[in-house]
Amino acid sequence: MYSVEWQKRGLPHAHILIWLLNKLHSNEVDDIISAEIPDPVTDPRLHDIVTTQMVHGPCGALNPLSPCMADGKCTKRYPRPLVAETVTGNDGYPVYRRRSKEDNGRTIKVKVQNQEIEIGNEFIVPYCPLLSRIFETHANVESCHSAKSIKYLCKYVTKGSDMAVFGIASENANDEISNFQMGRYVSTNEALWRLLSFQIHERYPTVVHLAVHLENGQSLLH
């Protein structure tokens, strides 16, 4: 299942949910998903992609003015705790391995408000090394074991575009209802996407409601 939306600057943003045929065990997560800075010597290309595309913030005490901050805390829960091994989380998401500098974890230097600071794996957004190498862009990949992920994508499919209500009236007009109309802003990227008939969302296999009811039972799904 996937859904495509357009963010504030008009760039397309895809939310994709993939079901795996075989269960992904906790000891296999590190083979697919990483939340650490790659080795700049053995894999300089991936190191460049991750350090330019997959670093959150920095925020928190290092940058209280970051856009993700609200009431003194990061709304995306960064910086994340540093742990030596990946463990299964209680909310459906694993706690990914993020080794500290003392545990051979790597660090990088970034500029915050014209000052150069050192950060580690606590600010790395989880990514798939294979997908990062292919697309060379920001691609957050998570292993989720919760039904909330399905609800999350269904919300994006059905919520519709951002809309605004505005009124156009002369100086002495009193007919409020007739002078109001719905307005919708469509960016150039979204307009081109729709003109070329690209897919906005897709579900495979398709699930539809059947008008079949068992006695004293619920409607069936196919």
Side-chain angles (χ1 to χ4, degrees):
M1 177 188 293
Y2 72 82
S3 179
V4 180
E5 65 166 345
W6 284 263
Q7 297 182 326
K8 299 302 181 182
R9 301 188 187 103
L11 295 178
H13 185 86
H15 300 259
I16 306 173
L17 178 63
I18 301 174
W19 284 267
L20 300 180
L21 181 62
N22 297 317
K23 182 178 179 181
L24 184 65
H25 298 279
S26 58
N27 60 342
E28 300 172 327
V29 173
D30 293 335
D31 297 332
I32 301 176
I33 301 174
S34 175
E36 295 188 315
I37 301 170
D39 191 338
V41 177
T42 60
D43 201 339
R45 179 165 172 260
L46 183 61
H47 179 271
D48 181 63
I49 295 171
V50 171
T51 54
T52 56
Q53 303 289 342
M54 303 305 299
V55 177
H56 175 83
C59 59
L62 298 177
N63 185 16
L65 300 179
S66 177
C68 63
M69 297 293 290
D71 298 327
K73 296 182 180 180
C74 174
T75 56
K76 309 300 181 182
R77 297 182 299 163
Y78 285 90
R80 299 294 176 89
L82 295 172
V83 293
E85 298 292 340
T86 298
V87 296
T88 302
N90 295 325
D91 61 349
Y93 293 94
V95 177
Y96 301 103
R97 182 181 65 185
R98 299 173 186 269
R99 286 170 290 189
S100 62
K101 187 176 182 179
E102 294 73 23
D103 192 22
N104 297 323
R106 301 177 185 88
T107 61
I108 58 173
K109 292 184 178 181
V110 297
K111 281 190 175 182
V112 177
Q113 298 179 3
N114 297 324
Q115 292 184 349
E116 193 174 65
I117 61 174
E118 186 179 50
I119 63 171
N121 294 322
E122 65 272 17
F123 286 105
I124 301 300
V125 179
Y127 64 94
C128 173
L130 174 62
L131 295 179
S132 293
R133 291 190 187 96
I134 293 174
F135 297 105
E136 297 186 2
T137 188
H138 179 87
N140 179 207
V141 179
E142 301 270 4
S143 173
C144 183
H145 308 281
S146 171
K148 291 188 294 183
S149 59
I150 303 175
K151 296 179 181 178
Y152 180 76
L153 281 192
C154 289
K155 178 190 71 172
Y156 273 94
V157 171
T158 58
K159 73 173 186 176
S161 303
D162 293 338
M163 304 183 72
V165 179
F166 62 90
I168 301 176
S170 62
E171 184 177 356
N172 298 321
N174 296 320
D175 192 348
E176 297 180 0
I177 297 176
S178 62
N179 288 325
F180 272 85
Q181 66 182 52
M182 297 297 290
R184 179 182 174 197
Y185 169 77
V186 179
S187 66
T188 53
N189 290 326
E190 181 178 358
L192 182 62
W193 192 284
R194 294 180 179 274
L195 286 172
L196 296 177
S197 299
F198 292 158
Q199 290 287 340
I200 302 298
H201 59 83
E202 182 179 349
R203 280 174 280 185
Y204 179 84
T206 302
V207 178
V208 297
H209 280 280
L210 295 180
V212 178
H213 296 266
L214 298 177
E215 185 178 359
N216 298 322
Q218 302 293 330
S219 60
L220 299 181
L221 293 178
H222 176 67

